[in-house]
Amino acid sequence: MTPDAALTNILSGVSAIGSIERVPLGEALGRIASEDITSSVRLPAFDNSAMDGFCVHADDLGGALPFRLRLQAELRAGERPDTTLRPGHAIRIMTGAMVPDGAAAVVLDEGAEVADGAVTIHRTVTAGKNIRRTGEDVQLGTTIVPAGSLLTARHLALLAVAGVGRVVVRRAPRVGVMSTGNELLEPGNEAGNGRIVEINRFFLLSMLRLTGAVVTDLGIVPDDLDSLAGAFANNRGLDLIVTSGGVAGSDADLVTAAVSAAGGNTSVCALALRPGKPIAFGSLGACRTLHLPGNPMAALVTGFLFMLPLVRMQAGLDPHNRPAIAKTAGEFHHVPRKTEFVPVRIVGPDADGIPLVEMLGKGGSARLLPLVMADGLAELPASRGSLDTGEFVPFYSFRQMGLA
Ligand SMILES: Nc1nc2c(c(=O)[nH]1)N[C@H]1C(S)=C(S)[C@@H](COP(=O)(O)OP(=O)(O)OC[C@H]3O[C@@H](n4cnc5c(N)ncnc54)[C@H](O)[C@@H]3O)O[C@H]1N2
Ligand code: MOO
């Protein structure tokens, strides 16, 4: 099965979580607005100066240069004007200060000279210049954040300025991550005698942080049916359980049997993908399950290809991973008929600014050193063999995977 077909199957029937909650702005970063948010204020809230300079009356703007005006007052940001600008006068004004009644424009400091309580204008401007008008940015009732938006610092900044204190957001998906295998030890333990320190949760938990999911670390579960089935049954209240290991189909690979024993069902796929051939997915009541292969590179690639889109779909976001375009800095050896993901390092931009990538440490789905040297993964298509130097290749940065 192709990775694309597997993704379609995995996402089939998955919908965004329906429940909503109201949270204060300070807790809304990374959440998804569940309804359009409209502004109940106008922005700017008052006419204000875009520059440091002098407010000039409409009667004076067109005067023959240079012309002199009497200084009437001075206005700083945060002050409320208590006078109206009179013809023949100027009011000194700072950037962001409220523009007084009677002012037609603001002449820049650089075009004026102050002496003896008067200002000489050397460079005038047209009416309306350098004044930020009430509501020119946002009108009453303007939709400032559309439903479905992922709330970033940019959205929160606008909401704060618009006086919005709480927002209605979708409930974040609750995702559990479990590593399976008798050989696995928690980090910090001494490996040996066939046992290894487990690492897949480092990758999967870090990737999930990108999605805003509420993540539960379900730890390491040994390869025995009762322990695995118990772990699934105890966590069926989650929206998704992701496992790694135990899916290749040997006698020791019990993950899918354990989902069945807990009352769920699964489908197993053999993918035309390297690394990441064996995967499975299923459900346990309302809880989805996704079962990734144990080899670390395979868990990483399938976590990116399938776990992230699935969680984004549950969160109410666009599920798809979008590659950037890179160019090969050398030949990329590749056997056709399987999509292959290889660690690559950016070695520089080409003459058009497109990143040039060099392949690192190909061919070992258990090899870790290339991951530390690389900037991301290149995707070599199943439809063709090796790539020559200077060919375009889809590139996924570790940053977009949550692994930078
Ligand atoms: N006869 C076959 N053998 C294998 C096949 C196959 O199709 N037929 N597929 C190979 C491929 S490809 C992969 S990938 C692995 C996937 O196997 P499992 O998902 O069952 O994974 P395990 O056997 O449990 O582990 C494989 C490997 O990865 C290490 N591992 C597991 N979990 C972790 C972890 N959390 N952190 C670090 N390392 C982990 C485990 O010790 C094994 O070395 O199967 C191949 N075999
Ligand atoms: O999923 Mo396996 O990598 O192809 O080692």
Side-chain angles (χ1 to χ4, degrees), residues 40-364:
S40 52
V41 300
R42 293 188 292 172
L43 296 175
F46 49 86
D47 288 1
N48 67 92
S49 180
M51 294 288 182
D52 295 335
F54 297 89
C55 298
V56 178
H57 196 276
D59 293 354
D60 298 316
L61 277 179
L65 291 170
F67 57 84
R68 268 167 70 88
L69 301 170
R70 283 188 54 135
L71 261 183
Q72 186 183 324
E74 177 167 307
L75 283 168
R76 294 173 180 271
E79 290 173 357
R80 199 187 165 79
D82 54 7
T83 51
T84 297
L85 177 65
R86 299 190 299 273
H89 291 70
I91 291 179
R92 180 149 169 66
I93 192 163
M94 308 302 169
T95 305
M98 274 180 94
V99 169
D101 289 343
V106 173
V107 167
L108 299 198
D109 267 353
E110 293 87 327
E113 204 180 322
V114 178
D116 306 328
V119 53
T120 304
I121 307 291
H122 297 284
R123 247 184 295 148
T124 188
V125 293
T126 50
K129 196 79 182 160
N130 299 322
I131 296 177
R132 304 189 282 220
R133 292 291 176 196
T134 307
E136 73 178 19
D137 189 6
V138 174
Q139 291 289 336
L140 284 181
T142 301
T143 298
I144 51 176
V145 173
S149 303
L150 173 67
L151 298 175
T152 67
R154 293 170 287 120
H155 297 84
L156 300 187
L158 179 55
L159 291 169
V161 176
V164 176
R166 298 172 80 81
V167 287
V168 182
V169 294
R170 292 183 185 279
R171 177 172 73 68
R174 292 189 281 249
V175 181
V177 179
M178 183 195 305
S179 292
T180 72
N182 290 338
E183 75 280 25
L184 304 180
L185 296 166
E186 290 288 351
N189 288 295
E190 202 173 324
N193 299 320
R195 307 203 63 192
I196 58 167
V197 169
E198 97 83 22
I199 53 171
N200 290 348
R201 281 176 300 160
F202 281 103
F203 299 149
L204 301 175
L205 295 172
S206 176
M207 285 180 171
L208 284 167
R209 261 184 244 132
L210 278 187
T211 65
V214 176
V215 177
T216 308
D217 184 347
L218 301 177
I220 296 170
V221 179
D223 293 313
D224 84 74
L225 194 61
D226 288 348
S227 306
L228 285 164
F232 286 118
N234 289 338
N235 292 291
R236 57 186 298 150
L238 296 171
D239 299 302
L240 173 65
I241 299 173
V242 181
T243 66
S244 67
V247 287
S250 79
D251 292 348
D253 295 335
L254 298 169
V255 167
T256 54
V259 176
S260 303
N265 54 69
T266 54
S267 309
V268 179
C269 312
L271 299 179
L273 174 66
R274 181 180 304 143
K277 184 176 78 173
I279 67 156
F281 61 95
S283 57
L284 189 59
C287 176
R288 294 275 168 164
T289 70
L290 181 63
H291 310 290
L292 309 178
N295 274 329
M297 251 306 267
L300 184 157
V301 167
T302 53
F304 177 60
L305 292 183
F306 306 116
M307 178 186 75
L308 283 188
L310 175 50
V311 177
R312 285 197 293 250
M313 191 93 171
Q314 291 184 319
L317 293 168
D318 171 10
H320 294 102
N321 293 317
R322 313 273 175 200
I325 282 295
K327 263 188 188 173
T328 54
E331 199 203 338
F332 276 39
H333 178 71
H334 169 60
V335 180
R337 285 192 292 281
K338 278 191 173 193
T339 305
E340 184 172 4
F341 285 82
V342 292
V344 292
R345 176 170 58 191
I346 297 174
V347 292
D350 75 355
D352 299 319
I354 297 171
L356 287 169
V357 292
E358 167 188 272
M359 192 186 318
L360 298 173
K362 180 181 150 59

Side-chain angles (χ1 to χ4, degrees), residues 1-4 272-274 332 334-341 379-387 391-394:
M1 186 185 287
T2 66
D4 281 349
L273 174 66
R274 181 180 304 143
F332 276 39
H334 169 60
V335 180
R337 285 192 292 281
K338 278 191 173 193
T339 305
E340 184 172 4
F341 285 82
E379 179 179 350
L380 313 184
S383 57
R384 52 164 300 176
S386 300
L387 274 66
E391 288 203 61
F392 287 115
V393 66

